[in-house]
Amino acid sequence: MSDIEIKRGLKDVYFATSEASFIDGNIGKLLYRGYNIDDMARNSTFEETVYLLLFGKLPTAKELLDFDAQLRANRTLPREVLQVIEIVQASHPMDVLRTGCSALGCLEPESATRDQHQVADRLLAAFPSMLLYWYQFHAGGKRIETETDDPSMAAHFLHLLSGKPADEMRIRALDASFILYAEHEFNASTFAARITASTLADFYSAITSGIGTLRGPLHGGANEEAMALIERFQTPDEAEAGLMDMLARKQLVMGFGHRVYKNYDPRARIIKQVADQVFEVTGKDPMLNIALELERIALEDDYFVKRRLYPNVDFYSGIMYEAMGFKPEMFTVLFAIPRTAGWLAQWQEMLTDPEQKIARPRQVWIGHDTRPFVPIEQRGTGVVTR
Ligand code: SDX
């Protein structure tokens, strides 16, 4: 066996430089271009955060006004994209987003007259329209008008979801979750988008790579899975017994652990505070007691403490989304849509990095050594079952 060390999951492998975000996993710190995630979640809007990630600075009032207007102007969808979305019947919303991204890429490809910034704004603004057009068409056969004059993406999303303008509490809560999910260094889906960009493939291909990668339950799909975990238990005692049984069976507890955070994920702390504000209006969700019990166990039980496994952002986001009226299958797209900003920012860095090269790692070969070819008539009559 080769003495080459394989870095499984590329753990602790440094692939490129970036200025978009910084994580100190030991102390649970996250900065967006130097600004603390707590400050961003408390004081800014998602559109301000996107501007910061894409342009490297917080916008002036005029810049933000223009940027908001640019995004609002991109909410309608071509008829052909709507027809594609109508065809994709009982898909998962993440598959709808992936399909809509590809369809839009066929109709509005990057070109001499449509540069990356325009495509970036287009996708950011069009994703909520794609998703909610599909949702309303397949839930109730309605063909909704996706263009609204809602001032923000969160307000637009909630308006299309319910068919009427949303209240300030829900808009603020969704906007805060979009800020928290916007960017996170070289996580698997951002890395996938960068790998695609490293071949100089087009922008839609890079974003489609990101969407497909985020879909997995170990990554963006975890918020939907964490909700399913919490819903399994009726009482805190049941939760404790169930969790111990899961660990005994070596099952993963969704919503816990992180490759980089070996301390509390700062986003989990913030989303929990935002969830408490939601519960003040919607009423305390009985599942919150189950979640708090699971968290208590994780913070005390030796299995978690020894491995430094803390609740991550996906553990609490699901309970909040559920209290706001979202169905669990919508949770991951509520992660993917804001993460498009991070994919965009990192994609742009990839293209402008003079040191960047096409991604092409190596393998450790464990197959056959050289062997002579065998003509088919000499291969016998056996059938290998797959
Ligand atoms: C996101 O990378 C990012 O930044 C991602 C993200 C972002 O914003 O983009 O933060 C979003 O994806 C958050 C993570 C969401 N996923 C989950 O909640 C799924 C459950 N978590 C695990 O699958 C896991 O913790 C990962 C995938 C998040 C991290 O996996 P690692 O770094 O490969 O950890 P590991 O497998 O090396 O774990 C070390 C030990 C192992 O046990 P031992 O072999 O030492 O005995 O911890 C155990 C693991 O079995 N472990 C868990 C566990 N996570 C790790 N055991 C039970 N439940 C878990 N959730």
Side-chain angles (χ1 to χ4, degrees):
M1 183 67 168
S2 156
D3 56 1
I4 297 170
E5 187 204 356
I6 295 176
K7 304 290 277 181
R8 298 286 177 195
L10 298 179
K11 194 164 188 173
D12 299 331
V13 168
Y14 289 77
F15 172 74
T17 59
S18 174
E19 299 173 46
S21 63
F22 170 72
I23 303 172
D24 182 333
N26 287 318
I27 59 171
K29 175 177 170 182
L30 171 60
L31 306 178
Y32 284 172
R33 293 201 186 272
Y35 296 98
N36 194 298
I37 191 64
D38 291 82
D39 291 338
M40 293 303 295
R42 200 173 297 116
N43 305 315
S44 79
T45 65
F46 175 62
E47 284 75 7
E48 256 182 303
T49 303
V50 175
Y51 192 98
L52 170 67
L53 291 171
L54 296 186
F55 296 96
K57 72 178 195 70
L58 289 170
T60 62
K62 173 75 173 72
E63 288 166 336
L64 184 57
L65 214 60
D66 294 346
F67 187 56
D68 283 350
Q70 169 67 359
L71 293 177
R72 279 201 303 277
N74 276 286
R75 289 174 174 169
T76 53
L77 296 171
R79 184 176 45 79
E80 298 84 349
V81 171
L82 297 178
Q83 287 169 339
V84 169
I85 289 174
E86 289 181 15
I87 293 168
V88 286
Q89 289 287 341
S91 298
H92 187 284
M94 282 293 279
D95 301 336
V96 176
L97 219 51
R98 194 182 64 231
T99 306
C101 179
S102 295
L104 192 62
C106 294
L107 285 159
E108 299 180 6
E110 280 176 62
S111 66
T113 56
R114 186 183 292 114
D115 69 14
Q116 296 145 15
H117 286 294
Q118 287 166 310
V119 172
D121 297 348
R122 179 67 167 129
L123 268 180
L124 267 169
F127 274 161
S129 299
M130 286 177 193
L131 189 80
L132 276 310
Y133 184 86
W134 168 83
Y135 178 80
Q136 297 293 5
F137 182 74
H138 290 286
K142 280 185 284 181
R143 289 191 168 90
I144 62 170
E145 179 45 57
T146 60
E147 185 171 16
T148 71
D149 57 2
D150 292 287
S152 68
M153 183 180 287
H156 178 230
F157 192 104
L158 290 165
H159 187 162
L160 296 187
L161 179 72
S162 65
K164 59 184 187 302
D167 59 87
E168 263 319 296
M169 180 280 288
R170 279 182 175 76
I171 292 171
R172 186 70 201 114
L174 187 59
D175 190 70
S177 81
F178 281 175
I179 291 168
L180 295 175
Y181 272 125
E183 155 64 12
H184 212 241
E185 204 204 73
F186 285 7
N187 59 83
S189 54
T190 300
F191 185 59
R194 270 194 172 249
I195 297 285
T196 308
S198 77
T199 70
L200 303 184
D202 75 292
F203 187 60
Y204 290 93
S205 298
I207 299 300
T208 309
S209 296
I211 296 171
T213 307
L214 191 70
R215 174 121 164 61
L218 293 187
H219 190 14
N223 57 13
E224 188 176 338
E225 297 292 332
M227 191 74 220
L229 168 72
I230 294 164
E231 285 177 329
R232 275 168 52 181
F233 308 120
Q234 302 310 312
T235 66
D237 289 347
E238 216 183 284
E240 179 164 20
L243 191 59
M244 292 303 121
D245 180 54
M246 288 176 73
L247 296 182
R249 297 164 186 263
K250 294 212 175 302
Q251 290 174 353
L252 289 176
V253 183
M254 292 298 158
F256 287 86
H258 199 278
R259 175 63 59 79
V260 179
Y261 287 124
K262 298 310 170 193
N263 201 315
Y264 210 100
D265 180 339
R267 303 167 300 172
R269 185 177 296 108
I270 299 166
I271 198 93
K272 194 172 158 189
Q273 291 161 0
V274 178
D276 286 341
Q277 291 158 17
V278 170
F279 296 141
E280 277 171 21
V281 175
T282 62
K284 222 159 188 60
D285 190 322
M287 278 186 279
L288 182 64
N289 294 330
I290 304 295
L292 289 170
E293 176 63 5
L294 291 170
E295 180 185 60
R296 179 193 66 75
I297 299 164
L299 295 177
E300 293 172 7
D301 183 86
D302 186 50
Y303 176 90
F304 290 88
V305 173
K306 201 169 67 175
R307 293 169 177 82
R308 300 175 76 187
L309 303 176
Y310 291 84
N312 55 50
V313 62
D314 293 318
F315 182 65
Y316 278 106
S317 59
I319 314 171
M320 182 185 88
Y321 289 147
E322 202 260 352
M324 290 172 69
F326 291 107
K327 294 192 176 123
E329 60 269 21
M330 294 285 264
F331 292 1
T332 307
V333 288
L334 292 171
F335 183 159
I337 288 174
R339 184 53 59 89
T340 306
W343 294 334
L344 295 172
Q346 298 252 4
W347 184 80
Q348 283 173 183
E349 279 193 331
M350 187 85 189
L351 289 190
T352 53
D353 178 352
E355 304 294 320
Q356 201 47 62
K357 299 175 78 62
I358 186 170
R360 202 304 186 190
R362 293 304 307 277
Q363 63 178 24
V364 171
W365 174 241
I366 55 170
H368 287 280
D369 203 337
T370 312
R371 52 180 172 163
F373 183 78
V374 180
I376 192 161
E377 57 276 5
Q378 296 173 24
R379 295 175 201 159
T381 56
V383 176
V384 175
T385 49
R386 285 174 176 273

